[in-house]
Amino acid sequence: LSPYQNQLKTCFEEQLFKVTKKIYGDAEKVGEACLYALAVGGKRIRPLLNLLCCEATGGTKEASFRCALALEMIHTYSLIHDDLPSMDNDDFRRGKPSTHRQFSEALAILAGDALLSDAFWVLTNTDFNLVPLNEKYFLIHFEFVLLDEVFQI
């Protein structure tokens, strides 16, 4: 990567963790698994391409950030599910234990599902700075379903 691309990657990762900590920060098991999977890292090629293409066509990083974040969340979901025992059964992802090894297979499935669904929430959310103070966490569409599933694990 060029120095500018490395700078853009660093900027993207800062924003990625800022937003995803707002989404998953207070969610205990599933949120922790989501943050773990996102933190494993990688080249972040998909969001970088999105940000660079937007800039190349006259847009700004800010204009394409939601899409870049959603792309990374969907990609991370696919990696979590790909590593599962029923798929490739990989024990490691980028030198670290895969999500199902670090947590459990059930929590890895739920984390992947949350990332996929929350990617669409990210695409439709217009202001990441407006954090409702009365919500424990933002797994809005999963709130009751996931709590029920986690208690069954």
Side-chain angles (χ1 to χ4, degrees):
L1 295 176
S2 73
Y4 177 71
Q5 291 167 337
N6 277 322
Q7 180 184 12
L8 190 58
K9 177 184 173 187
T10 300
C11 177
F12 171 76
E13 287 183 333
E14 288 171 2
Q15 293 300 312
L16 170 71
F17 295 119
K18 179 181 174 184
V19 171
T20 55
K21 283 182 182 176
K22 285 183 181 180
I23 297 171
Y24 302 113
D26 290 336
E28 292 180 12
K29 293 179 181 182
V30 175
E32 188 179 340
C34 290
L35 291 172
Y36 174 84
L38 286 165
V40 170
K43 298 177 289 290
R44 310 281 192 212
I45 293 297
R46 288 154 193 84
L48 282 176
L49 283 173
N50 174 264
L51 295 168
L52 291 168
C53 287
C54 184
E55 284 185 339
T57 57
T60 64
K61 290 185 294 275
E62 294 77 17
S64 64
F65 175 71
R66 287 192 321 240
C67 184
L69 177 57
L71 284 170
E72 189 63 18
M73 293 171 77
I74 292 169
H75 177 61
T76 302
Y77 135 79
S78 73
L79 296 177
I80 291 172
H81 281 217
D82 185 57
D83 290 342
L84 290 170
S86 60
M87 299 295 281
D88 287 347
N89 196 23
D90 289 323
D91 291 334
F92 293 94
R93 170 67 56 189
R94 298 184 183 108
K96 294 185 179 182
S98 55
T99 306
H100 75 276
R101 291 288 180 217
Q102 184 70 19
F103 297 92
S104 70
E105 185 176 354
L107 278 175
I109 292 169
L110 293 173
D113 291 348
L115 284 167
L116 177 61
S117 297
D118 289 335
F120 295 99
W121 178 82
V122 166
L123 283 171
T124 60
N125 187 9
T126 57
D127 189 350
F128 292 121
N129 295 318
L130 297 176
V131 181
L133 299 175
N134 61 346
E135 289 195 48
K136 184 175 179 188
Y137 56 94
F138 293 107
L139 299 173
I140 296 167
H141 45 275
F142 271 121
E143 195 165 288
F144 298 108
V145 175
L146 283 182
L147 287 174
D148 182 55
E149 293 295 325
V150 169
F151 287 121
Q152 292 179 21
I153 294 175

